[in-house]
Amino acid sequence: MKVSMNWLKEMVDIGDDYKLLETKFNLMSQEVESLYKLIDIDNLVIGHVKTCDKHPEADKLSVTTVDVGDEVLQIICGAPNIAEGQKVIVSKVGACLPGDFKIKKSKIRGIESNGMICSLEELGIKEFDSEETGIYVLGDDAETGQDPLKYLHLDDYVLDLDLTANRSDLLSMEGVAYDVACMLDKEYKPVQHQYETRREENTIKVFTDTKDCLAYYGQVIDNVKLGQSPYWLKSRLIAAGIRPISNVVDITNYVMLQYGQPLHAFDYDKIRTDRILVRHAKEDETLITLDGQTRKLLASDIVITDGKYPIALAGVMGGKETEVGEGTTKILLESAFFDPLCVRKTSKRLDLKSESSSRFEKGIDPGKIKKAMDFASELFIKLAGGEVVGEYSFFDTTQKEPSAVVLSLERLNQVTGREFTVGEVKSILKRLNFDNHVSGSDVFRIDVPTRRQNMFGYQDIIEEIVRISGYDKIPLTIPATPTFGYLTKTQQLRRTVRNYFVNNGFNETISYSLVNETQAIEFDQEKLSIVEIMNPLNKEKSILRHSLIPSLLDILQYNKSRKISDVFLFEIGRSYREEKEVEYLSGLITGVYQSNLWQGKKEIADFYLLKGIIEGMLLRLHIENYRIVKAEKPLSMMHPGMVADVFIGEEYLGYLGKLHPQKEMDMNLDKTFIFEFNFEILSSAYNDDLVMVEIPKFPSVSRDLAIIVDKDLTAEKIIDEVKLAGKKTLKNVEIFDIYSGQGIASDKKSIALSLTLQNVEKTLETKEVDTVVERIIKQLENTINAKLR
Amino acid sequence: MEKKLNKLIEDMLSRLDGISNLNDLNLLKAEYLGKKSVFNDLMQELKEVPKEEKPRFGQMINEAKNRISDFLEEKKTALEKQLVANKLKDESIDVTLPGRKMNQGSKHLISQVIEEVEDIFLGLGYTVKEGPEVESDLYNFEMLNLPKDHPARDMQDSLYISEERLLRTHTSPVQVRSLLENTNQEPLKIICPGKVYRKDDDDQTHSHQFTQIEALVVDGKASLADLKGTLLFIAKKLFGDEREIRLRPSFFPFTEPSVEVDVSCYKCGGAGCSMCGNTGWIEILGAGMVNNNVLSAAGYDPEKFQGFALGMGVERIAILKYGIDDIRAFYTNDLRFNKQFRGK
Ligand SMILES: [Zn+2]
């Protein structure tokens, strides 16, 4: 809502400190979007054109001398309508017009020009006067040397309020006046409107067929002379951001701004009957609206009809057929109350948002329906020569009684945490203009006036009291109820895992959950149905992802194309299914992990680096019963020879491996290793229930063993057998060399194992060690056909 | 005998001269002082010496033995010193050559802010609650005092899965769920961090996906003053101890009264600068007293329960704290951005 200060001043004594008013609004009412001068141009003056001659060098230019009060200026003017004797707007040297157009002393075709005679458009005021062509000519009463903006009533400031949905009362100047008076502790006295009628029979009768029209007042005004509105009215409309059109339209808009009640004027003579019937539209009924469009109507729309055919879309837009225009002399003025929801639905469906519809949608004050019509009638008589025919026709079932709200001082103090007194509350309610009485010692019965449509209970009253008494007066305490703060196991784990990867040089990402159709399912393990957005922003963000990998690959691609080639990423995020959301832990690695080039050291991301990092994480989480095995059914996006499944116990955690070379090629990537785990399974396996294990008191013994086995035998199989035979004495087994080639048959490989043996109860004797190693060798020979090398 | 011993010592000394490493020294030591050393032979000879001479000769042998031992020890010390000196010389390096390059890990800035805010609230006795991102219209809107045709639904145009299911537009449905789960209606102090979605085209200041943290306190007496005190504490923790806050009236359907919370500008201290638009204040979050309709919808009697809620945009907090000028930076994951924020 754009509030004209000049207009407001007429209603409340606000003084001249608009900055202060802005602060008051911000702290006590609504956020101020901006406070600005309506026309922010200095050095404008009313000039009197003394002489006007043709420029000797240019046909279309005139050389004028203009009296601007304290001096006479020679100004070159290019407007065709310039003439001697006119009162005009002069931008003196030093003025700066919109578009950063600075007026300077200049020479035009050899003749000096000291300023500029302006059109309104050049001052940034469009359509102040629809008949304007060329420079703007002021009336003869304009005083030479004075401020033309003042003459035009454009010397105004505007406070632009950013209204919240609960303050529809501020969609009217009167509502603003009430609020301002309350904030400044001043008074606002509403005006009564009076006018004479011809005391004839009203020639039109209004009816309704729907309860969604709660009130309708129809006033017939005759002898209306269509023309322009006076400067003061136009200026106020311009300040409010509404374009002046003609006195008839301007009056309805002005009254709407004053009282928040939208009005509509029909050309009376174009209404074919003597009745107005409000009803819901019939399916497939049509109406040509003011903008010339043919609108197909629905039963949810409310229409104004002449008894048969629609002539306006209630609260949204008038009909073309009954439009006021050239030749209109008699109007039917409508002031009504339509159901907010109906208006909202219609305006939304037809994408017709207007000053009128937005007020109806938010709920207008039933107390202003008649008053607005009275005010408009008064103005039609005053400004358009109109004559009110007689008593208006109307029906009105709106609730005009204030609604009562009960609030005890005790409740107020308990909710706010501040100690208000009865006297204090009384004085605030008085400022708010809310009638009230106190019963008992401290129970207020408050009458909320109809102008405050969005107040429903005592909480709303508390809000009013607090904002007017000041939020700065509320004390600072914290809740006294004791509760315990803690993270759940899963929440703690998320942090642990994050820290683990960060400490290992990974960068955490957060990416969009919405992806395109391909990405959503590309890395699915099983066939899952997709979760699709009904009204997506675009195709690229239309489906909720199943896997985080495509997003991570996008991020990799983005960084690679910016010459960042060593990329280690992880992300914790959800996989969205039809029936549930599953949390995933995913990541990728590519490029150099650690290096020191001058030392010739460079560790490049490969499968085993990733595997080590993953095993490190499992160790960090005290998860021991995991297995990493060759993937049985690898994803088509993965390199089938370099992908492993991870199980914890019998549960499938996820996979790690190399991206399929084809996919790498398609995405212009190289040697990219990825993993994706079910974080929830990780979380349930996470073991933070630890018991100390005794540190062995007796020394351990190491033995190395080199064996030759079949080339495709897995390390896991060998280690399993060693462990089986090693029993309790075997503490650890590690592979420290793998060799194939010279000296080894082509279908064999040599594997070197390092065994660590230990007895927790005593020092191992050589004989015992030999026995265990012997047993291991036997086992390897028997089960996997190993030969000692 | 005496001559023999002198000769022995002389021989030893001359051999000692030629020794330049510890290994050779140990061999020499074994030769003279070991089990089968020359002294063994001398001890044999001692047996044949007349009885009265024995003590004198015995002493002579011992003395010789001790002298040899001393010489060896002396030599050993000298050799070790030499070895250390050599090491000092050989092992000196250019310490200005680069060290090994380790990847610089980083938590995402959003995670960092979430963890920071969580920690502040954990200290105040709050627990952390989570909920689904695909929500029902019921929890996301209706139970939060936003019935189907409420005009405020315009403010948050949403992404729908079906007529009844949508991507949550705020984390408030988690509050509703928590209220409902709390069947004994015990005092509730929770925060709800998480992803939320709006139907906004992504640009410098809008993101269709962003992150919220909401807090909710419901008990018999949590007041507006309690809210204000809590807000001041959070503002100081997040933006510095010198910060002040101010509340301005606002509107949210789920709270009444509702406020916007400003923090005094941390750049100019409140004097006014470009950061705060010359007001001295920066808007950081929204808050309010829980609307009775929300309490009632969740089965709490507004006559017995009251409380407050607050909600902040995680990206907004990060944008303010770190001077980020484009919200899309959080989701682009340009590593040159991510790696700048390595956390506390
Ligand atoms: Zn500042």
Side-chain angles (χ1 to χ4, degrees):
Chain A
M1 175 79 177
K2 294 185 167 68
V3 179
S4 148
M5 292 295 103
N6 286 346
W7 192 345
L8 187 61
K9 259 183 193 169
E10 245 176 38
M11 294 187 275
V12 189
D13 173 19
I14 56 169
D16 290 319
D17 192 350
Y18 305 146
K19 263 288 183 223
L20 177 76
L21 191 63
E22 181 186 21
T23 307
K24 292 264 179 199
F25 259 110
N26 276 326
L27 294 180
M28 299 168 85
S29 179
Q30 297 282 288
E31 195 167 326
V32 175
E33 182 91 27
S34 56
L35 167 66
Y36 57 90
K37 211 170 165 181
L38 182 56
I39 309 291
D40 194 7
I41 306 171
D42 294 327
N43 283 315
L44 293 180
V45 67
I46 297 174
H48 190 186
V49 182
K50 290 288 180 195
T51 63
C52 178
D53 303 298
K54 275 222 147 20
H55 192 296
E57 303 291 323
D59 269 0
K60 289 186 175 157
L61 296 180
S62 309
V63 182
T64 66
T65 52
V66 184
D67 180 2
V68 294
D70 48 1
E71 54 185 325
V72 176
L73 301 173
Q74 175 172 289
I75 299 174
I76 311 285
C77 181
N81 63 329
I82 181 81
E84 196 180 300
Q86 282 172 338
K87 294 283 178 66
V88 291
I89 303 168
V90 177
S91 298
K92 291 209 287 189
V93 171
C96 182
L97 304 185
D100 204 26
F101 177 39
K102 293 194 179 77
I103 306 298
K104 292 179 202 142
K105 206 173 213 176
S106 63
K107 257 187 181 166
I108 299 170
R109 302 248 177 135
I111 298 181
E112 204 168 277
S113 182
N114 296 305
M116 177 172 151
I117 301 172
C118 297
S119 68
L120 289 173
E121 204 175 326
E122 281 158 340
L123 301 182
I125 315 157
K126 286 182 192 109
E127 306 177 69
F128 186 79
D129 188 335
S130 49
E131 285 156 24
E132 184 197 32
T133 49
I135 55 150
Y136 194 68
V137 181
L138 305 175
D140 289 338
D141 57 343
E143 245 180 88
T144 306
Q146 296 300 303
D147 180 3
L149 295 178
K150 189 161 188 156
Y151 175 80
L152 293 168
H153 297 262
L154 289 165
D155 59 331
D156 204 352
Y157 281 82
V158 177
L159 198 67
D160 191 359
L161 299 176
D162 193 4
L163 297 187
T164 55
N166 61 330
R167 294 302 304 271
S168 58
D169 58 306
L170 298 179
L171 281 167
S172 71
M173 286 302 293
E174 188 180 64
V176 172
Y178 271 115
D179 216 38
V180 168
C182 174
M183 291 190 284
L184 300 177
D185 203 4
K186 304 265 170 162
E187 211 174 345
Y188 164 67
K189 276 219 174 78
V191 198
Q192 297 307 317
H193 301 289
Q194 274 156 5
Y195 56 92
E196 294 293 317
T197 78
R198 293 206 303 232
R199 295 169 194 276
E200 290 166 16
E201 182 77 11
N202 191 334
T203 48
I204 210 148
K205 290 269 172 291
V206 300
F207 308 91
T208 186
D209 249 5
T210 168
K211 59 175 181 10
D212 290 329
C213 175
L214 281 78
Y216 199 104
Y217 290 75
Q219 177 89 289
V220 180
I221 302 170
D222 201 1
N223 276 332
V224 171
K225 284 153 209 75
L226 206 68
Q228 288 202 30
S229 304
Y231 290 144
W232 65 265
L233 201 160
K234 286 187 189 182
S235 301
R236 286 184 179 182
L237 292 182
I238 285 171
I242 293 178
R243 184 162 63 100
I245 292 169
S246 67
N247 53 0
V248 174
V249 178
D250 293 352
I251 287 168
T252 59
N253 281 330
Y254 184 75
V255 173
M256 173 184 73
L257 287 169
Q258 172 72 13
Y259 289 122
Q261 169 69 47
L263 301 174
H264 184 68
F266 298 91
D267 187 328
Y268 179 89
D269 294 322
K270 291 177 188 154
I271 302 171
R272 278 172 288 198
T273 66
D274 58 359
R275 55 192 260 126
I276 289 292
L277 174 68
V278 188
R279 61 165 166 82
H280 276 281
K282 294 168 187 153
E283 282 308 323
D284 294 331
E285 217 168 10
T286 59
L287 170 71
I288 301 169
T289 44
L290 280 176
D291 53 5
Q293 300 240 25
T294 304
R295 307 283 178 175
K296 236 180 151 177
L297 306 177
L298 296 183
S300 55
D301 302 325
I302 311 172
V303 286
I304 316 301
T305 71
D306 58 8
K308 267 195 164 153
Y309 303 107
I311 55 171
L313 253 176
V316 178
M317 199 181 249
K320 187 84 188 158
E321 206 187 350
T322 53
E323 185 182 4
V324 171
E326 210 76 43
T328 300
T329 55
K330 198 171 185 179
I331 59 167
L332 170 70
L333 184 66
E334 161 200 297
S335 185
F337 188 111
F338 304 112
D339 179 65
L341 222 62
C342 291
V343 174
R344 177 155 178 258
K345 272 187 192 156
T346 303
S347 86
K348 209 172 175 186
R349 186 184 90 245
L350 300 175
D351 199 17
L352 280 174
K353 236 183 159 30
S354 62
E355 294 280 345
S356 153
S357 71
S358 68
R359 282 176 174 79
F360 278 121
E361 278 176 33
K362 285 166 186 143
I364 54 169
D365 174 8
K368 300 287 151 42
I369 310 170
K370 179 178 172 301
K371 189 164 187 180
M373 195 199 58
D374 288 343
F375 185 31
S377 305
E378 190 183 286
L379 289 176
F380 273 115
I381 294 167
K382 233 190 257 177
L383 304 177
E387 292 163 20
V388 176
V389 171
E391 273 296 302
Y392 44 81
S393 171
F394 82 106
F395 60 85
D396 191 341
T397 58
T398 55
Q399 170 65 39
K400 292 197 165 37
E401 289 306 305
S403 60
V405 176
V406 175
L407 172 66
S408 71
L409 190 72
E410 189 193 353
R411 174 53 59 99
L412 173 66
N413 289 344
Q414 188 188 321
V415 169
T416 58
R418 198 195 140 180
E419 295 299 317
F420 285 94
T421 63
V422 169
E424 206 175 344
V425 174
K426 276 214 124 337
S427 90
I428 293 166
L429 291 174
K430 185 163 180 281
R431 280 168 68 178
L432 283 162
N433 254 300
F434 289 180
D435 289 339
N436 62 87
H437 70 262
V438 185
S439 62
S441 62
D442 74 338
V443 178
F444 290 84
R445 206 194 115 102
I446 300 147
D447 287 339
V448 179
T450 54
R451 66 187 159 84
R452 297 300 304 272
Q453 279 293 295
N454 296 284
M455 296 192 57
F456 306 102
Y458 69 79
Q459 283 187 306
D460 300 280
I461 300 286
I462 291 175
E463 164 156 44
E464 293 297 308
I465 292 171
V466 173
R467 76 179 176 95
I468 297 305
S469 62
Y471 276 101
D472 56 329
K473 304 261 173 26
I474 298 291
L476 292 154
T477 54
I478 59 165
T481 310
T483 49
F484 301 104
Y486 56 89
L487 291 176
T488 63
K489 193 172 135 183
T490 304
Q491 289 161 354
Q492 183 54 60
L493 179 70
R494 226 178 262 137
R495 290 187 176 199
T496 306
V497 168
R498 243 184 235 138
N499 288 334
Y500 174 81
F501 279 100
V502 170
N503 293 341
N504 280 290
F506 281 63
N507 301 106
E508 187 186 17
T509 63
I510 293 180
S511 48
Y512 295 134
S513 311
L514 288 168
V515 295
N516 66 34
E517 200 170 347
T518 317
Q519 291 177 321
I521 56 166
E522 217 175 4
F523 282 82
D524 280 1
Q525 294 280 106
E526 53 201 298
K527 215 173 155 51
L528 300 167
S529 56
I530 55 167
V531 187
E532 195 172 355
I533 301 297
M534 234 167 60
N535 55 337
L537 284 155
N538 55 54
K539 270 208 146 74
E540 286 305 305
K541 299 185 187 91
S542 59
I543 297 175
L544 283 163
R545 63 184 176 188
H546 285 158
S547 161
L548 313 189
I549 299 296
S551 309
L552 288 168
L553 290 174
D554 275 355
I555 294 168
L556 172 60
Q557 214 178 22
Y558 174 94
N559 282 288
K560 278 210 133 174
S561 68
R562 280 154 188 81
K563 302 249 186 311
I564 304 164
S565 48
D566 308 324
V567 180
F568 293 76
L569 306 177
F570 77 101
E571 178 161 347
I572 299 173
R574 294 181 188 180
S575 166
Y576 304 85
R577 316 288 171 72
E578 191 64 54
E579 67 295 343
K580 63 178 175 188
E581 293 162 27
V582 184
E583 194 157 31
Y584 274 5
L585 163 66
S586 314
L588 64 78
I589 67 174
T590 187
V592 179
Y593 185 53
Q594 289 180 2
S595 70
N596 207 355
L597 296 177
W598 65 269
Q599 285 184 306
K601 285 177 187 162
K602 192 168 175 182
E603 176 156 27
I604 294 175
D606 65 8
F607 179 86
Y608 296 107
L609 172 64
L610 180 58
K611 184 177 173 184
I613 288 166
I614 298 308
E615 290 190 284
M617 175 193 74
L618 294 166
L619 192 67
R620 171 67 188 83
L621 305 182
H622 314 288
I623 297 169
E624 279 160 14
N625 61 331
Y626 69 86
R627 283 184 307 130
I628 299 180
V629 299
K630 189 170 163 51
E632 285 296 329
K633 279 186 281 174
L635 290 172
S636 64
M637 285 295 152
M638 300 300 290
H639 189 310
M642 236 193 282
V643 59
D645 284 338
V646 185
F647 292 88
I648 297 178
E650 290 307 307
E651 269 193 298
Y652 177 68
L653 180 68
Y655 64 91
L656 68 146
K658 186 174 182 293
L659 202 59
H660 198 289
Q662 184 61 53
K663 177 73 178 168
E664 286 186 340
M665 228 176 307
D666 293 348
M667 291 193 77
N668 204 10
L669 300 174
D670 189 26
K671 296 195 185 77
T672 305
F673 300 86
I674 66 174
F675 66 93
E676 185 148 74
F677 299 143
N678 184 324
F679 189 81
E680 286 162 22
I681 289 174
L682 201 62
S683 173
S684 57
Y686 168 46
N687 181 14
D688 57 356
D689 192 11
L690 302 177
V691 178
M692 192 199 81
V693 177
E694 202 76 46
I695 296 167
K697 292 190 180 71
F698 305 97
S700 62
V701 179
S702 295
R703 287 288 176 89
D704 291 349
L705 212 60
I707 54 169
I708 293 171
V709 292
D710 287 347
K711 200 164 196 169
D712 52 6
L713 195 73
T714 64
E716 187 193 29
K717 180 71 183 157
I718 297 167
I719 287 172
D720 280 354
E721 295 301 340
V722 171
K723 282 182 175 168
L724 210 61
K727 291 188 185 158
K728 256 172 56 188
T729 316
L730 183 75
K731 282 288 156 287
N732 191 27
V733 52
E734 294 223 29
I735 293 172
F736 69 91
D737 189 40
I738 297 176
Y739 174 75
S740 55
Q742 215 177 7
I744 309 286
S746 63
D747 58 344
K748 299 280 179 187
K749 63 185 167 189
S750 159
I751 289 198
L753 303 166
S754 170
L755 311 176
T756 307
L757 304 152
Q758 193 173 40
N759 188 325
V760 288
E761 277 139 26
K762 61 186 179 67
T763 305
L764 273 180
E765 281 172 38
T766 317
K767 238 171 59 191
E768 288 173 279
V769 174
D770 290 344
T771 315
V772 176
V773 173
E774 229 20 71
R775 202 165 66 215
I776 291 171
I777 293 168
K778 272 257 155 55
Q779 177 85 6
L780 294 176
E781 283 172 349
N782 291 341
T783 56
I784 57 172
N785 197 22
K787 299 269 181 304
L788 215 55
R789 201 180 166 193
Chain B
M1 188 70 163
E2 200 174 343
K3 264 185 196 158
K4 226 177 191 171
L5 284 170
N6 282 339
K7 175 92 172 53
L8 194 74
I9 289 168
E10 254 166 53
D11 282 357
M12 203 281 306
L13 283 174
S14 74
R15 287 180 65 188
L16 199 61
D17 266 351
I19 279 176
S20 62
N21 67 58
L22 283 169
N23 203 29
D24 290 350
L25 185 71
N26 283 336
L27 290 174
L28 194 68
K29 188 177 176 182
E31 197 175 314
Y32 282 91
L33 301 174
K35 276 178 187 166
K36 288 171 183 168
S37 71
V38 286
F39 285 97
N40 277 359
D41 300 341
L42 288 173
M43 290 314 271
Q44 290 298 325
E45 279 179 37
L46 194 61
K47 282 178 189 164
E48 282 142 41
V49 171
K51 203 174 177 183
E52 61 278 13
E53 294 275 31
K54 264 184 189 167
R56 198 169 66 88
F57 279 113
Q59 200 184 348
M60 276 169 69
I61 292 172
N62 268 340
E63 270 170 16
K65 216 174 171 179
N66 285 342
R67 279 184 70 193
I68 286 175
S69 178
D70 287 348
F71 284 132
L72 285 167
E73 205 48 46
E74 203 176 296
K75 182 74 179 180
K76 189 183 171 202
T77 310
L79 279 178
E80 278 177 352
K81 264 195 182 140
Q82 182 62 43
L83 199 66
V84 169
N86 285 348
K87 274 198 178 178
L88 290 181
K89 196 167 144 253
D90 297 346
E91 292 177 358
S92 286
I93 56 159
D94 177 1
V95 297
T96 65
L97 275 168
R100 176 178 285 224
K101 243 187 236 139
M102 315 289 274
N103 266 346
Q104 189 55 66
S106 59
K107 269 185 207 184
H108 196 281
L109 198 47
I110 290 175
S111 299
Q112 291 182 33
V113 175
I114 291 178
E115 288 187 6
E116 188 177 350
V117 174
E118 279 177 353
D119 288 341
I120 296 170
F121 279 99
L122 287 170
L124 291 171
Y126 291 63
T127 46
V128 181
K129 293 281 182 185
E130 289 148 316
E133 291 167 28
V134 177
E135 259 297 357
S136 64
D137 190 272
L138 182 71
Y139 287 156
N140 191 73
F141 289 130
E142 280 180 59
M143 290 192 64
L144 289 160
N145 200 28
L146 277 151
K148 275 255 153 68
D149 286 301
H150 196 285
R153 282 204 191 189
D154 271 355
M155 301 192 307
Q156 37 199 27
D157 224 352
S158 331
L159 293 162
Y160 279 88
I161 311 288
S162 67
E163 292 294 330
E164 290 305 319
R165 290 170 75 220
L166 73 159
L167 293 184
R168 67 180 178 194
T169 57
H170 41 203
T171 56
S172 314
V174 185
Q175 302 187 357
V176 174
R177 287 169 178 273
S178 302
L179 283 169
L180 292 172
E181 274 167 23
N182 182 23
T183 45
N184 293 333
Q185 305 200 329
E186 277 159 16
L188 197 69
K189 271 156 82 176
I190 56 166
I191 60 166
C192 319
K195 291 172 184 166
V196 299
Y197 306 83
R198 305 266 168 98
K199 201 183 169 187
D200 271 332
D201 283 315
D202 298 330
D203 61 26
Q204 201 176 338
T205 54
H206 296 87
S207 184
H208 74 280
Q209 175 180 328
F210 59 102
T211 320
Q212 254 193 351
I213 303 179
E214 294 190 329
L216 172 73
V217 175
V218 170
D219 62 12
K221 54 189 183 233
S223 67
L224 188 58
D226 291 339
L227 169 61
K228 200 176 158 189
T230 303
L231 289 168
L232 179 63
F233 182 73
I234 297 159
K236 282 178 182 286
K237 286 284 166 200
L238 284 176
F239 294 101
D241 270 343
E242 310 78 47
R243 298 289 79 79
E244 297 296 327
I245 57 160
R246 79 174 182 185
L247 309 186
R248 289 180 289 109
S250 187
F251 172 74
F252 309 110
F254 23 89
T255 50
E256 185 72 40
S258 303
V259 291
E260 295 285 355
V261 183
D262 295 341
V263 63
S264 57
C265 180
Y266 42 83
K267 201 172 169 194
C268 64
C273 69
S274 62
M275 176 92 202
C276 55
N278 282 316
T279 61
W281 297 94
I282 297 171
E283 188 177 316
I284 52 165
L285 55 89
M289 300 301 293
V290 180
N291 192 304
N292 284 348
N293 293 346
V294 175
L295 290 174
S296 302
Y300 289 67
D301 182 357
E303 293 303 310
K304 291 185 192 138
F305 291 93
Q306 66 180 51
F308 62 77
L310 62 95
M312 64 182 101
V314 174
E315 285 85 349
R316 174 155 181 82
I317 300 292
I319 281 169
L320 292 174
K321 278 186 76 144
Y322 303 104
I324 295 158
D325 60 3
D326 191 330
I327 194 171
R328 288 169 295 196
F330 293 101
Y331 295 95
T332 306
N333 293 290
D334 186 321
L335 291 179
R336 292 166 299 183
F337 174 85
N338 290 42
K339 285 185 180 181
Q340 287 177 40
F341 304 101
R342 296 183 284 273
K344 291 200 164 169

